Amino acid sequence: MKRCTWLKPYLWAAIVALLVCGLPAWAQGQAAAPSAPAATPAPPPLAVDAPLNVSGPSTDDQAAGDPSGTKTGTANDVVHADPTKPLTLVDLVNQAGQNRIAINFVWTLVTGFLVMFMQAGFAIVETGLCRAKNGNHTMMMNFMVYGFGLFAYWVCGYAIQMGGAAGTAMLGGINPLNHEFTIHLLGHDWGLWGTKGFFLSGATYDVGVMVLFLFQMVFMDTALTIVTGAAAERWKYVAFCVSSIFLGAITYPMFANWAWGGGWLSKLGANYGLGAGYADFAGSGVVHAVGGITALALSLIVGPRIGKYNRDGSSNAMPGHDMVIVLTGCFILAFGWFGFNPGSTLGASGALRIGTIAVDTMLAGCTGSFGALLYMWIKYGKPDASMAGNGLLAGLVAITAPSGYVNTLGAVIIGFVAGLLVCVSVEFVDRVLRVDDPVGAISVHGTNGLWGVISVGLFADGTNGVKGLFYGDPTQLVAQLIGVATLLGFVFSLSYTANMVIHFIIGQRSAAADELEGLDIPEMGALCYPEFVLKPDTTHAGAAASDFKAGLQVARETA
Amino acid sequence: MKLVGVLLAVFGWLLPVVALNMTSSTGMRMFLCILGIGITLVAILGVLNKAHQKEAVWKQ
């Protein structure tokens, strides 16, 4: 057997080298290894009410001014429980708690103010997409829906929605809202509505309850203003008033309770093991789908505008009168959405994901407008402005529910699909269903609200407690689908039935002659644009309306 | 027809909710959800819409 004798010196050299280099390193590691802690005496117990030896700048220092900002916001500004005594640890801890809740109050209020401003966006989008002869009427519906909704919500809507929602730590607990009406059925408790907070009276005269009221109220008003667009140009104003009050007082709060107020949908996870229960972070379902589905119910009841469809059932385009205010309104809405989604954390302290939520929101809006633009450009050869605007809104609507649970890739996909979906849905509603929706509210808010709810069950990545199908949990998708079934089955049925009752009592639709003239004078008593000369409508829709008008005249003479 | 449409829509909602107690299989629950949503859509877009289209203004 031949031995590799020539290897021997090299092997020895390698072993020596390893020893020379390795030993010091090993020794160093041993030295760096943590030694057992020496027994140290325990610190003396801290007396929380003992005076702390800290002081801020003197009054004289502060009187000299503070251009650099180093003398403002010091120990002098910490609130003392007893101003006559020095600062204690209790004072510091209380101040920290106060600061956290103050930050969250300010965040929630400011984002609520942003959402309130969305009313202006909705108002001009809807008015711009309607004809000039109905400008005052459409604007006044959007203007007064704020007041009607707010009043109804103060009377009973808020109590029904959030009356049992105590325990919201971000706003200090809101503990006065502590009773949910619940029935025990099929082996589980089913929360149906809250019972505390009617008129914001009694113990609900509370700072946290008030902040939550403002934030939830502006969300509710968003749902209400969606309906006015779908029924625009033929909705009797008095019927609009009654219908809006009902939606703000009953329909919206009921579903919102089930999803956000501790109701049965939110408990599907605990009771039936369906993921985290129905998850709707900022309201694709609660706000937008409720508004869009109610808009569908209203559109069915009031029927299409005169001239929208020909006798053979073909559809006529009825373009709006001002694309500038439509797209400006879309920008206002996109701005307000930064209140809608990031604000739904109900605070900034302890909820630093607000940055992710804001980025998800802007990305989905952007890809939504891409999707719609692409669809229209490919199919019709031109990049349609109103559909690009609707695509932006569709993307924002769709990301509203998943914005707290998805990453940016998910947001991009959700938004793009929403942009395509809104175009397909508008065509389907207009040409197949023959349901007249002047602003596309059913498609933007209804269809994409439902898509947003479903997308949580698909794209939620599990980083914030909700995990969707693509990340390994199919049960979350089941919870979301039950939410969709509830929106379609419960919300639609309740809205439809209530509005049919209103229809039988006072009538939902304006008189045909008023509609042909434009609703500004007959319904509101004043024109939106009194100095403008409105030219006759020479489009197909105008011709169809003229035919109808002639028929109406003949019918009158015959009668 | 309108009443039938509304009742069918409510049925489509209650089907997956009640079925939660009947089965614990995720696949079956998902199937029943989709079935319920389908029934509701047929009720709204088919039955109810058809009933309203009969009296549509453009047919008068």
Side-chain angles (χ1 to χ4, degrees), chain A residues 301-312:
Chain A
I301 293 168
V302 296
R305 292 165 291 177
I306 296 168
K308 176 63 188 171
Y309 293 101
N310 303 311
R311 280 186 178 277
D312 61 357

Side-chain angles (χ1 to χ4, degrees), chain A residues 125-131 134 138 141 226-235 295 299 302-305 308-309 316-321 326 386-387 390 426 429-430 435-442 515:
Chain A
V125 166
E126 291 179 11
T127 306
L129 285 171
C130 291
R131 289 165 294 177
N134 298 305
T138 311
M141 285 200 294
I226 291 164
V227 185
T228 59
E233 302 199 297
R234 74 269 199 214
W235 200 4
S299 297
V302 296
R305 292 165 291 177
K308 176 63 188 171
Y309 293 101
N316 296 313
M318 297 175 100
H321 78 279
V326 170
S386 67
M387 285 311 293
N390 271 344
V426 162
V429 168
D430 187 44
V435 171
D436 186 15
D437 177 6
V439 306
I442 297 167
E515 189 183 330

Side-chain angles (χ1 to χ4, degrees), chain A residues 107 341-349 351-360:
Chain A
W107 172 257
N341 292 356
S344 291
T345 52
L346 298 179
S349 177
L352 297 182
R353 58 183 169 146
I354 51 179
T356 313
I357 297 166
V359 172
D360 279 352

Side-chain angles (χ1 to χ4, degrees), chain A residues 19 74 89 218 322 324 345 413 428 454 491 531:
Chain A
L19 285 173
T74 61
L89 196 58
V218 290
D322 194 340
V324 174
T345 52
I413 296 169
F428 180 76
I454 293 168
V491 173
E531 292 168 327

Side-chain angles (χ1 to χ4, degrees), chain A residues 466-515:
Chain A
V466 180
K467 191 188 276 185
L469 181 68
F470 297 155
Y471 292 85
D473 186 5
T475 61
Q476 185 65 48
L477 183 59
V478 176
Q480 300 306 110
L481 290 176
I482 289 176
V484 170
T486 307
L487 284 159
L488 289 168
F490 171 76
V491 173
F492 179 87
S493 302
L494 183 59
S495 287
Y496 179 82
T497 308
N499 281 292
M500 280 302 278
V501 170
I502 295 168
H503 185 54
F504 285 127
I505 296 171
I506 52 179
Q508 291 273 10
R509 183 159 182 149
S510 299
D514 296 348
E515 189 183 330

Side-chain angles (χ1 to χ4, degrees), chain A residues 436-453:
Chain A
D436 186 15
D437 177 6
V439 306
I442 297 167
S443 301
V444 170
H445 300 276
T447 308
N448 281 290
L450 296 179
W451 161 236
V453 170

Side-chain angles (χ1 to χ4, degrees), chain A residues 145-216:
Chain A
V145 81
Y146 180 73
F148 290 134
L150 168 54
F151 188 75
Y153 199 66
W154 170 72
V155 171
C156 67
Y158 183 61
I160 291 171
Q161 180 185 333
M162 303 304 285
T168 305
M170 298 295 279
L171 298 178
I174 55 165
N175 292 316
L177 300 173
N178 58 4
H179 193 263
E180 175 86 357
F181 176 79
T182 305
I183 55 169
H184 191 77
L185 200 66
L186 303 170
H188 296 285
D189 286 332
W190 299 70
L192 296 181
W193 58 78
T195 60
K196 290 286 182 75
F198 291 96
F199 298 98
L200 289 177
S201 58
T204 57
Y205 185 18
D206 170 86
V207 288
V209 171
M210 296 296 162
V211 171
L212 190 63
F213 173 83
L214 185 141
F215 192 70
Q216 295 296 341

Side-chain angles (χ1 to χ4, degrees), chain A residues 235-449:
Chain A
W235 200 4
K236 197 188 276 185
Y237 200 80
V238 64
F240 144 76
C241 300
V242 180
S243 178
S244 299
I245 289 171
F246 184 82
L247 180 56
I250 307 290
T251 314
Y252 175 91
M254 284 287 284
F255 186 79
N257 175 273
W258 297 351
W260 288 343
W264 65 273
L265 270 175
S266 66
K267 298 281 195 284
L268 286 177
N271 288 342
Y272 291 99
L274 298 179
Y278 174 77
D280 188 347
F281 184 70
S284 289
V286 175
V287 179
H288 297 282
V290 166
I293 286 168
T294 304
L296 173 63
L298 240 306
S299 297
L300 287 177
I301 293 168
V302 296
R305 292 165 291 177
I306 296 168
K308 176 63 188 171
Y309 293 101
N310 303 311
R311 280 186 178 277
D312 61 357
S314 57
S315 164
N316 296 313
M318 297 175 100
H321 78 279
D322 194 340
M323 198 47 64
V324 174
I325 64 169
V326 170
L327 293 183
T328 307
C330 288
F331 267 131
I332 290 175
L333 286 169
F335 175 68
W337 238 284
F338 289 123
F340 218 94
N341 292 356
S344 291
T345 52
L346 298 179
S349 177
L352 297 182
R353 58 183 169 146
I354 51 179
T356 313
I357 297 166
V359 172
D360 279 352
T361 302
M362 65 203 304
L363 276 173
C366 155
T367 53
S369 59
F370 285 174
L373 191 83
L374 204 64
Y375 182 94
M376 298 304 283
W377 211 335
I378 291 170
K379 188 161 185 184
Y380 299 103
K382 296 285 180 190
D384 184 85
S386 67
M387 285 311 293
N390 271 344
L392 173 83
L393 300 184
L396 292 167
V397 167
I399 198 62
T400 302
S403 59
Y405 311 121
V406 301
N407 54 35
T408 53
L409 181 63
V412 164
I413 296 169
I414 291 166
F416 189 75
V417 171
L420 300 176
L421 202 56
V422 71
C423 300
V424 175
S425 178
V426 162
E427 290 176 344
F428 180 76
V429 168
D430 187 44
R431 293 173 194 171
V432 179
L433 298 181
R434 297 198 182 96
V435 171
D436 186 15
D437 177 6
V439 306
I442 297 167
S443 301
V444 170
H445 300 276
T447 308
N448 281 290

